[in-house]
Amino acid sequence: MSNDLSAITKVYDLIMWSIPHITKFPRSHRFILGEVIEKNLYSILEDLIEAKYTKEKILILRRVNIRLEKLRYQIRIAKDLKILSVNSYEFASKSIIDIGNEIGGWIKQQRG
């Protein structure tokens, strides 16, 4: 599987995993932290789709890496607030690392 399709699939899967978890956030955090996490995930997906069909991919992929780093901290905040269980945090963190690795490979591929 190519890096672009693999990264897009992994982000899609993380979105599908996160939606039921975010809906369980307490009301006081669902509409702040939950929304930020969701919007960030959707932005990452949109950026990856854009990168797939654009010639100048590297700038977009770097933006995705920054969004992933923000997402890491947002997920960590949810864990530290005990909104996400440690197991859920570990799953999300591993997924983010895997996506980051795919993006890194995609960037290397673009540099030739």
Side-chain angles (χ1 to χ4, degrees):
M1 187 180 293
S2 66
N3 287 332
D4 57 355
L5 184 57
S6 181
I8 291 169
T9 300
K10 287 179 180 186
V11 171
Y12 179 90
D13 291 345
L14 184 56
I15 290 170
M16 295 307 294
W17 174 88
S18 71
I19 290 171
H21 287 82
I22 291 171
T23 60
K24 293 177 186 172
F25 278 20
R27 185 173 174 79
S28 59
H29 295 290
R30 187 176 335 136
F31 298 108
I32 299 168
L33 181 59
E35 254 185 41
V36 169
I37 291 171
E38 257 185 73
K39 285 180 182 178
N40 203 359
L41 281 164
Y42 288 126
S43 293
I44 291 167
L45 180 63
E46 290 168 5
D47 286 346
L48 290 177
I49 291 168
E50 183 180 340
K52 180 177 179 177
Y53 293 100
T54 304
K55 288 187 182 197
E56 297 299 321
K57 299 174 188 323
I58 292 179
L59 288 176
I60 297 168
L61 295 173
R62 285 184 180 152
R63 184 173 62 222
V64 170
N65 270 337
I66 292 168
R67 290 187 199 278
L68 281 174
E69 188 65 15
K70 292 176 183 178
L71 183 62
R72 277 186 190 95
Y73 280 94
Q74 293 158 353
I75 296 294
R76 184 176 168 189
I77 289 168
K79 187 248 325 164
D80 289 347
L81 291 171
K82 298 186 180 2
I83 298 169
L84 277 181
S85 70
V86 172
N87 287 341
S88 293
Y89 170 74
E90 287 175 0
F91 176 84
S93 293
K94 184 185 178 306
S95 296
I96 293 167
I97 290 168
D98 288 346
I99 293 164
N101 289 338
E102 296 287 336
I103 302 305
W106 197 356
I107 290 171
K108 283 181 184 176
Q109 178 186 32
Q110 292 304 305
R111 289 186 177 149

